[in-house]
Amino acid sequence: MVWKIYSLHQIRSMARVAIEDPSNFWRDKANYITWFKAPEKILEGDPPKDKWFPGGITNISYNAVDRHLPKLRNKVAFYWVNENLDHEKEISYYDLYQEVNKASYVLNQLGVKKNDVVSILMPSIPEAVYFSLAVHRLGAVLAIHYVGLSEETLSYRFNDCGSKILITSSKAFRNGNEIRIKDFVDNVLKSHTTPIQKVLVVSRGFSDFNVIGNRDIIYEDIKPKGKVYVKPTGVEANEPATIYYTSGTTGRPKGLYHTNGGYIIALNWAFKAIFNPTENDTWWTISELGWPVWPMANLYVIPVMGLTGVLFEGYIAHKRDLFSKIIEKFNVSLVWSSTTTLYTLKSLGDESVKSGDTSSLREILNTGEPLNAGAWSWLSENLPHVKIADAYWMTEHLYPIAATPYGLGEIPYKPGSAGIQFPGSYFLVVDDEGKQLPPRQKGYIVLKPLNPAEAKMWNDHNYEKLLKQYWSRFPGYFYTGDYGYVDEEGYLYVLGRADDVIRSAEERIGTLEVESVIVSHPQVAEAAVIGHGNNIIALVVPKQGVMVEEGLRNDIKNYCRNAGYLVDKIIFVKRLPKTKSGKIMRRLLRAIINNENPGDISTLDDMKVLEELKEALKEQL
Ligand code: ATP
Ligand code: MG
């Protein structure tokens, strides 16, 4: 397809047309992947029971590896680097092909078949890519879990996804610490009943862990020495490819699946529109393995497009200069980052983006939470040659709801906004009755989702419940659970979660409205606000080295008052409660303040934060 540059007006009408005639919109995009058998149709049925490219037979691993060999054999598929920058690897497309085949061969020997679920628990190392693609090569279903979930949560997920095999690594390294993953797995499987029968361990050259006979196999011991070839298994476009769990910000994480055909096509189109990558681009996705962002980039787009990716094991703030040094080292041109990572860079200071040579960098994409205007202007001032993009999506709908698709045209960025209608999905802002609201009026964000990247529910027993959760609140629409408004030019502003909206006497206030004012204070790093009756309570993390005293408290309150918000209490804390994917769990703050049961907090990044918060609230509330 010849790529054309569109005007804002044309992109808007493309979004309208795409939703009116989705089959037509997606027809040519079916060619982004190679089919073993072409689909019979583009679309069949209505959401949430819609089927995309039905009858089409394909294989993700074939698309990510085999088909590139004639042209890209020697091209670097991935670089891998650790957080000390003292270990690195370079993997060509030919290496990737060899390694994926070896991993597939071993999984085949272990009995993995089409539609079986295989779990993976490891850091961002090359084997994570090899085994994930090997799972897809066999037509099996991938379930990647976060390193650092609690024993209970992990065992729940093994049971929920039903995997009999777990692929793990002996250890991971993060922020200078050794994480003994295999020991942790031993404990989980000893203390909980799960369907896991075999544990395949990537030893990484270590041997200081237990090997349990009949159950554990060390990959390096049985890895084929010579070349092997495993034929990719054809799968129908609508069969499950991968299971994801939502972040657990607003409640118990929900298990969903995405498909082998439509999902991959939709993601590839989304990234053509956002990044418009060229063959010379090097793309680094700063994400843990367990967040859908990691597989989306490193399995379903970078190798499928034949690009070069960077895998990074560790913590971005382990050293102040890590971000820019990695960009310099690999000439990174595209970065996909979580909002929390961008905030972390800002809190590390200008050096974090200025120590290394970042002249190769052309775009940073934010995902995860609304990027506050302060962080955007800090990035723009320190990286003036870099475009900052945004894409707002959710696990249930892994296709941008709103974005700044610079790949499609010159789109002005508006700080604080998630961007414009993204062709292929369609958002509206509605009131309590589901009536569309005019520009600038705040309401609920709903979707007319009609694209191949809407997730299906993994477990049938959840189906009715989830229909109720997403499709019944506003009949005819999919409800995102988010709150916001649209401006006159069609830009969407996500103001927070609908559950977190603060009902003050006169109006409803989205959490982001107040938080973005607080973080614009020069001595503040992060903030989270919650409603408490008619009052607003703000939890504030001061910047490193800032003296916490009454004057600062009053100063922040004045800042808010000048912006039109009355904040009743400011509570200084060391850190905020965040999920593994870096999202603020405001419901936990509410529960602590109201002395209520917080519900499922299984994805809380560090349980120790609970005591810290209780302590701070006891002293300051
Ligand atoms: P749960 O559904 O379990 O409560 P979650 O909603 O945080 O958790 P995810 O699917 O990981 O789980 O996150 C999707 C949510 O993240 C969106 O509903 C939205 O609130 C927020 N989000 C993601 N990207 C952006 C963005 N670029 N701008 C604003 N908000 C975003
Ligand atoms: Mg959600």
mmCIF file with all atom_site columns, all heavy atoms in Angstrom, residues 120-135 142 144 167 202 289 294 298-299 311:
data_model
loop_
_atom_site.group_PDB
_atom_site.id
_atom_site.type_symbol
_atom_site.label_atom_id
_atom_site.label_alt_id
_atom_site.label_comp_id
_atom_site.label_asym_id
_atom_site.label_entity_id
_atom_site.label_seq_id
_atom_site.pdbx_PDB_ins_code
_atom_site.Cartn_x
_atom_site.Cartn_y
_atom_site.Cartn_z
_atom_site.occupancy
_atom_site.B_iso_or_equiv
_atom_site.pdbx_formal_charge
_atom_site.auth_seq_id
_atom_site.auth_comp_id
_atom_site.auth_asym_id
_atom_site.auth_atom_id
_atom_site.pdbx_PDB_model_num
ATOM 1   N N   . ILE A 1 120 ? 4.155  -18.509 30.814 1.00 0.00 ? 120 ILE A N   1
ATOM 2   C CA  . ILE A 1 120 ? 5.552  -18.050 30.840 1.00 0.00 ? 120 ILE A CA  1
ATOM 3   C C   . ILE A 1 120 ? 5.729  -17.073 31.996 1.00 0.00 ? 120 ILE A C   1
ATOM 4   O O   . ILE A 1 120 ? 4.888  -16.201 32.217 1.00 0.00 ? 120 ILE A O   1
ATOM 5   C CB  . ILE A 1 120 ? 5.955  -17.392 29.501 1.00 0.00 ? 120 ILE A CB  1
ATOM 6   C CG1 . ILE A 1 120 ? 5.969  -18.450 28.391 1.00 0.00 ? 120 ILE A CG1 1
ATOM 7   C CG2 . ILE A 1 120 ? 7.315  -16.691 29.614 1.00 0.00 ? 120 ILE A CG2 1
ATOM 8   C CD1 . ILE A 1 120 ? 6.603  -18.025 27.090 1.00 0.00 ? 120 ILE A CD1 1
ATOM 9   N N   . LEU A 1 121 ? 6.830  -17.267 32.739 1.00 0.00 ? 121 LEU A N   1
ATOM 10  C CA  . LEU A 1 121 ? 7.161  -16.374 33.863 1.00 0.00 ? 121 LEU A CA  1
ATOM 11  C C   . LEU A 1 121 ? 8.661  -16.147 33.810 1.00 0.00 ? 121 LEU A C   1
ATOM 12  O O   . LEU A 1 121 ? 9.440  -17.010 34.218 1.00 0.00 ? 121 LEU A O   1
ATOM 13  C CB  . LEU A 1 121 ? 6.773  -17.056 35.182 1.00 0.00 ? 121 LEU A CB  1
ATOM 14  C CG  . LEU A 1 121 ? 6.997  -16.258 36.453 1.00 0.00 ? 121 LEU A CG  1
ATOM 15  C CD1 . LEU A 1 121 ? 5.927  -15.196 36.630 1.00 0.00 ? 121 LEU A CD1 1
ATOM 16  C CD2 . LEU A 1 121 ? 6.986  -17.183 37.675 1.00 0.00 ? 121 LEU A CD2 1
ATOM 17  N N   . MET A 1 122 ? 9.093  -15.056 33.240 1.00 0.00 ? 122 MET A N   1
ATOM 18  C CA  . MET A 1 122 ? 10.528 -14.760 33.174 1.00 0.00 ? 122 MET A CA  1
ATOM 19  C C   . MET A 1 122 ? 10.728 -13.271 32.883 1.00 0.00 ? 122 MET A C   1
ATOM 20  O O   . MET A 1 122 ? 9.781  -12.575 32.555 1.00 0.00 ? 122 MET A O   1
ATOM 21  C CB  . MET A 1 122 ? 11.236 -15.649 32.144 1.00 0.00 ? 122 MET A CB  1
ATOM 22  C CG  . MET A 1 122 ? 10.740 -15.562 30.728 1.00 0.00 ? 122 MET A CG  1
ATOM 23  S SD  . MET A 1 122 ? 11.780 -16.499 29.569 1.00 0.00 ? 122 MET A SD  1
ATOM 24  C CE  . MET A 1 122 ? 11.332 -18.180 29.886 1.00 0.00 ? 122 MET A CE  1
ATOM 25  N N   . PRO A 1 123 ? 11.960 -12.807 33.025 1.00 0.00 ? 123 PRO A N   1
ATOM 26  C CA  . PRO A 1 123 ? 12.190 -11.394 32.700 1.00 0.00 ? 123 PRO A CA  1
ATOM 27  C C   . PRO A 1 123 ? 12.289 -11.197 31.184 1.00 0.00 ? 123 PRO A C   1
ATOM 28  O O   . PRO A 1 123 ? 12.147 -12.155 30.423 1.00 0.00 ? 123 PRO A O   1
ATOM 29  C CB  . PRO A 1 123 ? 13.523 -11.105 33.383 1.00 0.00 ? 123 PRO A CB  1
ATOM 30  C CG  . PRO A 1 123 ? 14.228 -12.419 33.392 1.00 0.00 ? 123 PRO A CG  1
ATOM 31  C CD  . PRO A 1 123 ? 13.173 -13.469 33.539 1.00 0.00 ? 123 PRO A CD  1
ATOM 32  N N   . SER A 1 124 ? 12.568 -9.971  30.784 1.00 0.00 ? 124 SER A N   1
ATOM 33  C CA  . SER A 1 124 ? 12.666 -9.665  29.357 1.00 0.00 ? 124 SER A CA  1
ATOM 34  C C   . SER A 1 124 ? 14.033 -10.100 28.814 1.00 0.00 ? 124 SER A C   1
ATOM 35  O O   . SER A 1 124 ? 14.962 -9.313  28.707 1.00 0.00 ? 124 SER A O   1
ATOM 36  C CB  . SER A 1 124 ? 12.462 -8.157  29.162 1.00 0.00 ? 124 SER A CB  1
ATOM 37  O OG  . SER A 1 124 ? 12.477 -7.865  27.796 1.00 0.00 ? 124 SER A OG  1
ATOM 38  N N   . ILE A 1 125 ? 14.124 -11.393 28.517 1.00 0.00 ? 125 ILE A N   1
ATOM 39  C CA  . ILE A 1 125 ? 15.368 -11.959 27.955 1.00 0.00 ? 125 ILE A CA  1
ATOM 40  C C   . ILE A 1 125 ? 15.020 -12.582 26.609 1.00 0.00 ? 125 ILE A C   1
ATOM 41  O O   . ILE A 1 125 ? 13.842 -12.828 26.317 1.00 0.00 ? 125 ILE A O   1
ATOM 42  C CB  . ILE A 1 125 ? 16.000 -13.018 28.916 1.00 0.00 ? 125 ILE A CB  1
ATOM 43  C CG1 . ILE A 1 125 ? 14.965 -14.083 29.327 1.00 0.00 ? 125 ILE A CG1 1
ATOM 44  C CG2 . ILE A 1 125 ? 16.598 -12.337 30.129 1.00 0.00 ? 125 ILE A CG2 1
ATOM 45  C CD1 . ILE A 1 125 ? 15.528 -15.211 30.199 1.00 0.00 ? 125 ILE A CD1 1
ATOM 46  N N   . PRO A 1 126 ? 16.002 -12.844 25.760 1.00 0.00 ? 126 PRO A N   1
ATOM 47  C CA  . PRO A 1 126 ? 15.693 -13.375 24.430 1.00 0.00 ? 126 PRO A CA  1
ATOM 48  C C   . PRO A 1 126 ? 14.828 -14.640 24.481 1.00 0.00 ? 126 PRO A C   1
ATOM 49  O O   . PRO A 1 126 ? 13.938 -14.828 23.642 1.00 0.00 ? 126 PRO A O   1
ATOM 50  C CB  . PRO A 1 126 ? 17.068 -13.673 23.841 1.00 0.00 ? 126 PRO A CB  1
ATOM 51  C CG  . PRO A 1 126 ? 17.983 -12.703 24.524 1.00 0.00 ? 126 PRO A CG  1
ATOM 52  C CD  . PRO A 1 126 ? 17.442 -12.537 25.906 1.00 0.00 ? 126 PRO A CD  1
ATOM 53  N N   . GLU A 1 127 ? 15.060 -15.506 25.485 1.00 0.00 ? 127 GLU A N   1
ATOM 54  C CA  . GLU A 1 127 ? 14.274 -16.741 25.572 1.00 0.00 ? 127 GLU A CA  1
ATOM 55  C C   . GLU A 1 127 ? 12.782 -16.451 25.720 1.00 0.00 ? 127 GLU A C   1
ATOM 56  O O   . GLU A 1 127 ? 11.953 -17.283 25.341 1.00 0.00 ? 127 GLU A O   1
ATOM 57  C CB  . GLU A 1 127 ? 14.752 -17.615 26.742 1.00 0.00 ? 127 GLU A CB  1
ATOM 58  C CG  . GLU A 1 127 ? 16.070 -18.331 26.508 1.00 0.00 ? 127 GLU A CG  1
ATOM 59  C CD  . GLU A 1 127 ? 17.290 -17.432 26.692 1.00 0.00 ? 127 GLU A CD  1
ATOM 60  O OE1 . GLU A 1 127 ? 17.123 -16.241 27.045 1.00 0.00 ? 127 GLU A OE1 1
ATOM 61  O OE2 . GLU A 1 127 ? 18.415 -17.921 26.463 1.00 0.00 ? 127 GLU A OE2 1
ATOM 62  N N   . ALA A 1 128 ? 12.440 -15.316 26.276 1.00 0.00 ? 128 ALA A N   1
ATOM 63  C CA  . ALA A 1 128 ? 11.013 -14.978 26.405 1.00 0.00 ? 128 ALA A CA  1
ATOM 64  C C   . ALA A 1 128 ? 10.396 -14.829 25.016 1.00 0.00 ? 128 ALA A C   1
ATOM 65  O O   . ALA A 1 128 ? 9.264  -15.256 24.770 1.00 0.00 ? 128 ALA A O   1
ATOM 66  C CB  . ALA A 1 128 ? 10.854 -13.688 27.212 1.00 0.00 ? 128 ALA A CB  1
ATOM 67  N N   . VAL A 1 129 ? 11.153 -14.245 24.096 1.00 0.00 ? 129 VAL A N   1
ATOM 68  C CA  . VAL A 1 129 ? 10.659 -14.123 22.716 1.00 0.00 ? 129 VAL A CA  1
ATOM 69  C C   . VAL A 1 129 ? 10.652 -15.507 22.052 1.00 0.00 ? 129 VAL A C   1
ATOM 70  O O   . VAL A 1 129 ? 9.660  -15.900 21.427 1.00 0.00 ? 129 VAL A O   1
ATOM 71  C CB  . VAL A 1 129 ? 11.537 -13.147 21.892 1.00 0.00 ? 129 VAL A CB  1
ATOM 72  C CG1 . VAL A 1 129 ? 11.091 -13.126 20.438 1.00 0.00 ? 129 VAL A CG1 1
ATOM 73  C CG2 . VAL A 1 129 ? 11.483 -11.750 22.482 1.00 0.00 ? 129 VAL A CG2 1
ATOM 74  N N   . TYR A 1 130 ? 11.751 -16.265 22.204 1.00 0.00 ? 130 TYR A N   1
ATOM 75  C CA  . TYR A 1 130 ? 11.828 -17.580 21.536 1.00 0.00 ? 130 TYR A CA  1
ATOM 76  C C   . TYR A 1 130 ? 10.653 -18.468 21.954 1.00 0.00 ? 130 TYR A C   1
ATOM 77  O O   . TYR A 1 130 ? 9.986  -19.076 21.119 1.00 0.00 ? 130 TYR A O   1
ATOM 78  C CB  . TYR A 1 130 ? 13.131 -18.340 21.885 1.00 0.00 ? 130 TYR A CB  1
ATOM 79  C CG  . TYR A 1 130 ? 14.415 -17.576 21.658 1.00 0.00 ? 130 TYR A CG  1
ATOM 80  C CD1 . TYR A 1 130 ? 15.574 -17.880 22.389 1.00 0.00 ? 130 TYR A CD1 1
ATOM 81  C CD2 . TYR A 1 130 ? 14.490 -16.547 20.718 1.00 0.00 ? 130 TYR A CD2 1
ATOM 82  C CE1 . TYR A 1 130 ? 16.758 -17.183 22.199 1.00 0.00 ? 130 TYR A CE1 1
ATOM 83  C CE2 . TYR A 1 130 ? 15.676 -15.843 20.525 1.00 0.00 ? 130 TYR A CE2 1
ATOM 84  C CZ  . TYR A 1 130 ? 16.798 -16.162 21.277 1.00 0.00 ? 130 TYR A CZ  1
ATOM 85  O OH  . TYR A 1 130 ? 17.963 -15.469 21.100 1.00 0.00 ? 130 TYR A OH  1
ATOM 86  N N   . PHE A 1 131 ? 10.440 -18.549 23.269 1.00 0.00 ? 131 PHE A N   1
ATOM 87  C CA  . PHE A 1 131 ? 9.398  -19.472 23.734 1.00 0.00 ? 131 PHE A CA  1
ATOM 88  C C   . PHE A 1 131 ? 7.998  -18.970 23.417 1.00 0.00 ? 131 PHE A C   1
ATOM 89  O O   . PHE A 1 131 ? 7.120  -19.759 23.100 1.00 0.00 ? 131 PHE A O   1
ATOM 90  C CB  . PHE A 1 131 ? 9.566  -19.785 25.228 1.00 0.00 ? 131 PHE A CB  1
ATOM 91  C CG  . PHE A 1 131 ? 10.559 -20.886 25.455 1.00 0.00 ? 131 PHE A CG  1
ATOM 92  C CD1 . PHE A 1 131 ? 11.825 -20.615 25.922 1.00 0.00 ? 131 PHE A CD1 1
ATOM 93  C CD2 . PHE A 1 131 ? 10.235 -22.198 25.123 1.00 0.00 ? 131 PHE A CD2 1
ATOM 94  C CE1 . PHE A 1 131 ? 12.753 -21.631 26.091 1.00 0.00 ? 131 PHE A CE1 1
ATOM 95  C CE2 . PHE A 1 131 ? 11.160 -23.228 25.285 1.00 0.00 ? 131 PHE A CE2 1
ATOM 96  C CZ  . PHE A 1 131 ? 12.423 -22.939 25.767 1.00 0.00 ? 131 PHE A CZ  1
ATOM 97  N N   . SER A 1 132 ? 7.797  -17.675 23.487 1.00 0.00 ? 132 SER A N   1
ATOM 98  C CA  . SER A 1 132 ? 6.463  -17.156 23.152 1.00 0.00 ? 132 SER A CA  1
ATOM 99  C C   . SER A 1 132 ? 6.143  -17.489 21.697 1.00 0.00 ? 132 SER A C   1
ATOM 100 O O   . SER A 1 132 ? 5.036  -17.954 21.383 1.00 0.00 ? 132 SER A O   1
ATOM 101 C CB  . SER A 1 132 ? 6.407  -15.646 23.344 1.00 0.00 ? 132 SER A CB  1
ATOM 102 O OG  . SER A 1 132 ? 6.655  -15.321 24.677 1.00 0.00 ? 132 SER A OG  1
ATOM 103 N N   . LEU A 1 133 ? 7.109  -17.244 20.823 1.00 0.00 ? 133 LEU A N   1
ATOM 104 C CA  . LEU A 1 133 ? 6.847  -17.536 19.405 1.00 0.00 ? 133 LEU A CA  1
ATOM 105 C C   . LEU A 1 133 ? 6.753  -19.046 19.171 1.00 0.00 ? 133 LEU A C   1
ATOM 106 O O   . LEU A 1 133 ? 6.016  -19.497 18.290 1.00 0.00 ? 133 LEU A O   1
ATOM 107 C CB  . LEU A 1 133 ? 7.916  -16.893 18.513 1.00 0.00 ? 133 LEU A CB  1
ATOM 108 C CG  . LEU A 1 133 ? 7.860  -15.357 18.455 1.00 0.00 ? 133 LEU A CG  1
ATOM 109 C CD1 . LEU A 1 133 ? 9.011  -14.806 17.610 1.00 0.00 ? 133 LEU A CD1 1
ATOM 110 C CD2 . LEU A 1 133 ? 6.530  -14.853 17.890 1.00 0.00 ? 133 LEU A CD2 1
ATOM 111 N N   . ALA A 1 134 ? 7.474  -19.819 19.984 1.00 0.00 ? 134 ALA A N   1
ATOM 112 C CA  . ALA A 1 134 ? 7.388  -21.283 19.856 1.00 0.00 ? 134 ALA A CA  1
ATOM 113 C C   . ALA A 1 134 ? 5.984  -21.770 20.237 1.00 0.00 ? 134 ALA A C   1
ATOM 114 O O   . ALA A 1 134 ? 5.427  -22.668 19.595 1.00 0.00 ? 134 ALA A O   1
ATOM 115 C CB  . ALA A 1 134 ? 8.439  -21.952 20.734 1.00 0.00 ? 134 ALA A CB  1
ATOM 116 N N   . VAL A 1 135 ? 5.425  -21.162 21.278 1.00 0.00 ? 135 VAL A N   1
ATOM 117 C CA  . VAL A 1 135 ? 4.062  -21.523 21.683 1.00 0.00 ? 135 VAL A CA  1
ATOM 118 C C   . VAL A 1 135 ? 3.119  -21.259 20.509 1.00 0.00 ? 135 VAL A C   1
ATOM 119 O O   . VAL A 1 135 ? 2.295  -22.109 20.133 1.00 0.00 ? 135 VAL A O   1
ATOM 120 C CB  . VAL A 1 135 ? 3.639  -20.701 22.940 1.00 0.00 ? 135 VAL A CB  1
ATOM 121 C CG1 . VAL A 1 135 ? 2.151  -20.844 23.222 1.00 0.00 ? 135 VAL A CG1 1
ATOM 122 C CG2 . VAL A 1 135 ? 4.456  -21.132 24.152 1.00 0.00 ? 135 VAL A CG2 1
ATOM 123 N N   . LEU A 1 142 ? -0.791 -18.585 24.561 1.00 0.00 ? 142 LEU A N   1
ATOM 124 C CA  . LEU A 1 142 ? 0.238  -18.049 25.440 1.00 0.00 ? 142 LEU A CA  1
ATOM 125 C C   . LEU A 1 142 ? -0.379 -17.296 26.615 1.00 0.00 ? 142 LEU A C   1
ATOM 126 O O   . LEU A 1 142 ? -1.294 -16.495 26.421 1.00 0.00 ? 142 LEU A O   1
ATOM 127 C CB  . LEU A 1 142 ? 1.087  -17.078 24.602 1.00 0.00 ? 142 LEU A CB  1
ATOM 128 C CG  . LEU A 1 142 ? 2.264  -16.391 25.249 1.00 0.00 ? 142 LEU A CG  1
ATOM 129 C CD1 . LEU A 1 142 ? 3.321  -17.415 25.647 1.00 0.00 ? 142 LEU A CD1 1
ATOM 130 C CD2 . LEU A 1 142 ? 2.874  -15.378 24.266 1.00 0.00 ? 142 LEU A CD2 1
ATOM 131 N N   . ILE A 1 144 ? 1.287  -15.027 29.536 1.00 0.00 ? 144 ILE A N   1
ATOM 132 C CA  . ILE A 1 144 ? 2.496  -14.485 30.170 1.00 0.00 ? 144 ILE A CA  1
ATOM 133 C C   . ILE A 1 144 ? 2.104  -13.862 31.506 1.00 0.00 ? 144 ILE A C   1
ATOM 134 O O   . ILE A 1 144 ? 1.129  -13.119 31.580 1.00 0.00 ? 144 ILE A O   1
ATOM 135 C CB  . ILE A 1 144 ? 3.161  -13.415 29.282 1.00 0.00 ? 144 ILE A CB  1
ATOM 136 C CG1 . ILE A 1 144 ? 3.564  -14.012 27.929 1.00 0.00 ? 144 ILE A CG1 1
ATOM 137 C CG2 . ILE A 1 144 ? 4.378  -12.829 29.974 1.00 0.00 ? 144 ILE A CG2 1
ATOM 138 C CD1 . ILE A 1 144 ? 4.279  -13.032 27.006 1.00 0.00 ? 144 ILE A CD1 1
ATOM 139 N N   . ILE A 1 167 ? 6.890  -22.226 31.611 1.00 0.00 ? 167 ILE A N   1
ATOM 140 C CA  . ILE A 1 167 ? 8.278  -21.995 31.203 1.00 0.00 ? 167 ILE A CA  1
ATOM 141 C C   . ILE A 1 167 ? 8.783  -20.827 32.039 1.00 0.00 ? 167 ILE A C   1
ATOM 142 O O   . ILE A 1 167 ? 8.154  -19.770 32.090 1.00 0.00 ? 167 ILE A O   1
ATOM 143 C CB  . ILE A 1 167 ? 8.390  -21.652 29.707 1.00 0.00 ? 167 ILE A CB  1
ATOM 144 C CG1 . ILE A 1 167 ? 7.652  -22.693 28.871 1.00 0.00 ? 167 ILE A CG1 1
ATOM 145 C CG2 . ILE A 1 167 ? 9.856  -21.567 29.277 1.00 0.00 ? 167 ILE A CG2 1
ATOM 146 C CD1 . ILE A 1 167 ? 7.404  -22.267 27.450 1.00 0.00 ? 167 ILE A CD1 1
ATOM 147 N N   . VAL A 1 202 ? 14.740 -22.160 32.062 1.00 0.00 ? 202 VAL A N   1
ATOM 148 C CA  . VAL A 1 202 ? 15.898 -21.604 31.358 1.00 0.00 ? 202 VAL A CA  1
ATOM 149 C C   . VAL A 1 202 ? 16.895 -21.265 32.453 1.00 0.00 ? 202 VAL A C   1
ATOM 150 O O   . VAL A 1 202 ? 16.656 -20.359 33.256 1.00 0.00 ? 202 VAL A O   1
ATOM 151 C CB  . VAL A 1 202 ? 15.495 -20.351 30.552 1.00 0.00 ? 202 VAL A CB  1
ATOM 152 C CG1 . VAL A 1 202 ? 16.711 -19.709 29.908 1.00 0.00 ? 202 VAL A CG1 1
ATOM 153 C CG2 . VAL A 1 202 ? 14.435 -20.695 29.512 1.00 0.00 ? 202 VAL A CG2 1
ATOM 154 N N   . LEU A 1 289 ? 7.493  -7.991  31.257 1.00 0.00 ? 289 LEU A N   1
ATOM 155 C CA  . LEU A 1 289 ? 6.920  -9.003  30.367 1.00 0.00 ? 289 LEU A CA  1
ATOM 156 C C   . LEU A 1 289 ? 5.408  -9.168  30.550 1.00 0.00 ? 289 LEU A C   1
ATOM 157 O O   . LEU A 1 289 ? 4.683  -9.457  29.610 1.00 0.00 ? 289 LEU A O   1
ATOM 158 C CB  . LEU A 1 289 ? 7.608  -10.331 30.682 1.00 0.00 ? 289 LEU A CB  1
ATOM 159 C CG  . LEU A 1 289 ? 7.786  -11.311 29.542 1.00 0.00 ? 289 LEU A CG  1
ATOM 160 C CD1 . LEU A 1 289 ? 8.819  -10.770 28.577 1.00 0.00 ? 289 LEU A CD1 1
ATOM 161 C CD2 . LEU A 1 289 ? 8.222  -12.677 30.058 1.00 0.00 ? 289 LEU A CD2 1
ATOM 162 N N   . TRP A 1 294 ? 4.349  -5.450  26.320 1.00 0.00 ? 294 TRP A N   1
ATOM 163 C CA  . TRP A 1 294 ? 5.570  -6.190  25.942 1.00 0.00 ? 294 TRP A CA  1
ATOM 164 C C   . TRP A 1 294 ? 5.283  -7.162  24.790 1.00 0.00 ? 294 TRP A C   1
ATOM 165 O O   . TRP A 1 294 ? 5.943  -7.079  23.743 1.00 0.00 ? 294 TRP A O   1
ATOM 166 C CB  . TRP A 1 294 ? 6.167  -6.913  27.175 1.00 0.00 ? 294 TRP A CB  1
ATOM 167 C CG  . TRP A 1 294 ? 7.508  -7.550  26.888 1.00 0.00 ? 294 TRP A CG  1
ATOM 168 C CD1 . TRP A 1 294 ? 8.732  -7.001  27.121 1.00 0.00 ? 294 TRP A CD1 1
ATOM 169 C CD2 . TRP A 1 294 ? 7.749  -8.837  26.293 1.00 0.00 ? 294 TRP A CD2 1
ATOM 170 N NE1 . TRP A 1 294 ? 9.722  -7.859  26.707 1.00 0.00 ? 294 TRP A NE1 1
ATOM 171 C CE2 . TRP A 1 294 ? 9.154  -8.997  26.198 1.00 0.00 ? 294 TRP A CE2 1
ATOM 172 C CE3 . TRP A 1 294 ? 6.950  -9.867  25.817 1.00 0.00 ? 294 TRP A CE3 1
ATOM 173 C CZ2 . TRP A 1 294 ? 9.756  -10.135 25.655 1.00 0.00 ? 294 TRP A CZ2 1
ATOM 174 C CZ3 . TRP A 1 294 ? 7.540  -11.002 25.275 1.00 0.00 ? 294 TRP A CZ3 1
ATOM 175 C CH2 . TRP A 1 294 ? 8.926  -11.135 25.197 1.00 0.00 ? 294 TRP A CH2 1
ATOM 176 N N   . ASN A 1 298 ? 6.863  -6.807  21.090 1.00 0.00 ? 298 ASN A N   1
ATOM 177 C CA  . ASN A 1 298 ? 7.992  -7.705  20.811 1.00 0.00 ? 298 ASN A CA  1
ATOM 178 C C   . ASN A 1 298 ? 7.610  -9.017  20.132 1.00 0.00 ? 298 ASN A C   1
ATOM 179 O O   . ASN A 1 298 ? 8.473  -9.714  19.625 1.00 0.00 ? 298 ASN A O   1
ATOM 180 C CB  . ASN A 1 298 ? 8.753  -7.990  22.108 1.00 0.00 ? 298 ASN A CB  1
ATOM 181 C CG  . ASN A 1 298 ? 9.377  -6.728  22.669 1.00 0.00 ? 298 ASN A CG  1
ATOM 182 O OD1 . ASN A 1 298 ? 10.039 -5.986  21.943 1.00 0.00 ? 298 ASN A OD1 1
ATOM 183 N ND2 . ASN A 1 298 ? 9.136  -6.459  23.936 1.00 0.00 ? 298 ASN A ND2 1
ATOM 184 N N   . LEU A 1 299 ? 6.326  -9.352  20.158 1.00 0.00 ? 299 LEU A N   1
ATOM 185 C CA  . LEU A 1 299 ? 5.912  -10.575 19.471 1.00 0.00 ? 299 LEU A CA  1
ATOM 186 C C   . LEU A 1 299 ? 5.055  -10.271 18.248 1.00 0.00 ? 299 LEU A C   1
ATOM 187 O O   . LEU A 1 299 ? 5.217  -10.875 17.201 1.00 0.00 ? 299 LEU A O   1
ATOM 188 C CB  . LEU A 1 299 ? 5.081  -11.473 20.409 1.00 0.00 ? 299 LEU A CB  1
ATOM 189 C CG  . LEU A 1 299 ? 5.718  -11.860 21.739 1.00 0.00 ? 299 LEU A CG  1
ATOM 190 C CD1 . LEU A 1 299 ? 4.746  -12.712 22.549 1.00 0.00 ? 299 LEU A CD1 1
ATOM 191 C CD2 . LEU A 1 299 ? 7.034  -12.594 21.519 1.00 0.00 ? 299 LEU A CD2 1
ATOM 192 N N   . LEU A 1 311 ? 15.361 -5.444  23.736 1.00 0.00 ? 311 LEU A N   1
ATOM 193 C CA  . LEU A 1 311 ? 14.831 -6.052  24.960 1.00 0.00 ? 311 LEU A CA  1
ATOM 194 C C   . LEU A 1 311 ? 15.711 -5.588  26.104 1.00 0.00 ? 311 LEU A C   1
ATOM 195 O O   . LEU A 1 311 ? 16.938 -5.635  26.002 1.00 0.00 ? 311 LEU A O   1
ATOM 196 C CB  . LEU A 1 311 ? 14.889 -7.579  24.880 1.00 0.00 ? 311 LEU A CB  1
ATOM 197 C CG  . LEU A 1 311 ? 14.182 -8.244  23.698 1.00 0.00 ? 311 LEU A CG  1
ATOM 198 C CD1 . LEU A 1 311 ? 14.524 -9.736  23.655 1.00 0.00 ? 311 LEU A CD1 1
ATOM 199 C CD2 . LEU A 1 311 ? 12.679 -8.045  23.796 1.00 0.00 ? 311 LEU A CD2 1
#
